[in-house]
Amino acid sequence: LFCSGHSQMPDGRIVFGGGIGGGVGGTSLYNADSIAVSPWSTPDAPPAQRFYPTCTTLARGNVLVTGGDIGDPNANTPNTFDAKAPSGLQWDILQEATFCDASLSCAPPIYNFHINFYPFMFQLSSGLVLYAGSETAYYDPTSPKTRLLNPVAETWTDLFLVPDAIIGGSAVHFRPNRVMKAGGSDSTFTPTNQAYTLDMNAIVPSWVQQPSMGFARQDFYLVALADGSILSIGGYDQSFQSVLTPEIFDPSAPVPG
């Protein structure tokens, strides 16, 4: 499970994919309600080995797996996993949505951008999946840093949003079609306290800067709470010390200035 991606399916089970160690590239399902038998099961093997992938549960119940990198070129192709499909047919390859490797020297029909560790992926009400960047500038060297994936047509669309070079150590889909990302580290791996929101409901979407967090953070969590606020918790700061103080952001509060 170390460095794998994970996501909760509609039936409550947790799907884990990728990681390192003995289970590189494997898939595991965990069922917390299982009592009579082992809560763990191992379905079909995925078509690519991935380290630090993102698993995103889609509206129809399948799981989109994107990003991750251990040198397997197949990790540049998104896959979907359907636990309800018969054995041998649970993994689907979105071949037409293949993107380039880190060399950024690919020619059409391969998309000439690279997605690496733990991309921020969120399904919108339109059915499209928003790629909202990655956790550091180092892992996301291409521009633009915001794109849309159509998982049915297997196509990517660039979103040239202003500003473009927004990084984030964590991101959260906190309201319908609205995303926040905050923190993160620049090309020198120095954490920041910046925070931005994106409203894809807007006629002209753009990243809007919000009040900065009280602490610079990298490798932390943003969690959408039931009252509409966002919890920022964990991570390390510019001195590489653990940040032990949580913070709450209210996205309904007016932006100062």
Side-chain angles (χ1 to χ4, degrees):
L1 302 181
F2 182 66
C3 296
S4 67
H6 66 278
S7 183
Q8 185 174 34
M9 296 189 298
D11 62 8
R13 287 182 296 172
I14 308 297
V15 58
F16 296 87
I20 62 174
V24 172
T27 309
S28 298
L29 293 177
Y30 177 74
N31 184 357
D33 294 329
S34 179
I35 299 176
V37 296
S38 171
W40 290 96
S41 60
T42 304
D44 295 339
Q49 298 186 22
R50 299 174 185 267
F51 177 68
Y52 290 164
T54 293
C55 299
T56 308
T57 301
L58 304 181
R60 74 177 186 88
N62 59 334
V63 177
L64 172 71
V65 183
T66 315
D69 184 13
I70 61 166
D72 185 343
N74 294 321
N76 297 337
T77 302
N79 304 143
T80 54
F81 171 73
D82 185 354
K84 295 182 180 180
S87 179
L89 299 174
Q90 292 177 326
W91 280 98
D92 190 23
I93 301 173
L94 279 59
Q95 190 66 50
E96 301 303 316
T98 300
F99 47 85
C100 195
D101 56 29
S103 71
L104 299 178
S105 60
C106 298
I110 297 176
Y111 288 92
N112 195 27
F113 62 84
H114 186 56
I115 294 176
N116 206 311
F117 295 161
Y118 285 143
F120 303 137
M121 308 292 293
F122 307 102
Q123 186 168 41
L124 306 177
S125 58
S126 64
L128 302 179
V129 178
L130 175 72
Y131 163 64
S134 188
E135 62 176 347
T136 72
Y138 179 82
Y139 293 140
D140 188 13
T142 55
S143 182
K145 297 186 186 301
T146 315
R147 297 182 171 87
L148 289 174
L149 169 65
N150 185 325
V152 176
E154 302 182 18
T155 56
W156 292 91
T157 302
D158 293 341
L159 296 180
F160 292 93
L161 303 184
V162 178
D164 173 55
I166 303 302
I167 59 175
S170 185
V172 62
H173 192 179
F174 64 96
R175 291 183 184 174
N177 303 323
R178 294 185 65 188
V179 167
M180 165 179 269
K181 61 179 176 176
S185 56
D186 60 20
S187 57
T188 66
F189 291 93
T190 302
T192 74
N193 63 350
Q194 65 181 3
Y196 288 82
T197 56
L198 172 64
D199 186 355
M200 290 299 293
N201 299 305
I203 297 176
V204 182
S206 63
W207 286 103
V208 177
Q209 189 162 14
Q210 301 295 334
S212 296
M213 296 183 294
F215 302 89
R217 298 177 188 262
Q218 173 60 23
D219 291 352
F220 70 107
Y221 279 101
L222 291 174
V223 182
L225 302 181
D227 64 357
S229 60
I230 299 170
L231 171 68
S232 173
I233 187 168
Y236 61 85
D237 61 16
Q238 294 169 334
S239 299
F240 295 95
Q241 300 298 311
S242 298
V243 181
L244 304 180
T245 305
E247 303 179 56
I248 294 285
F249 174 77
D250 182 0
S252 65
V255 177

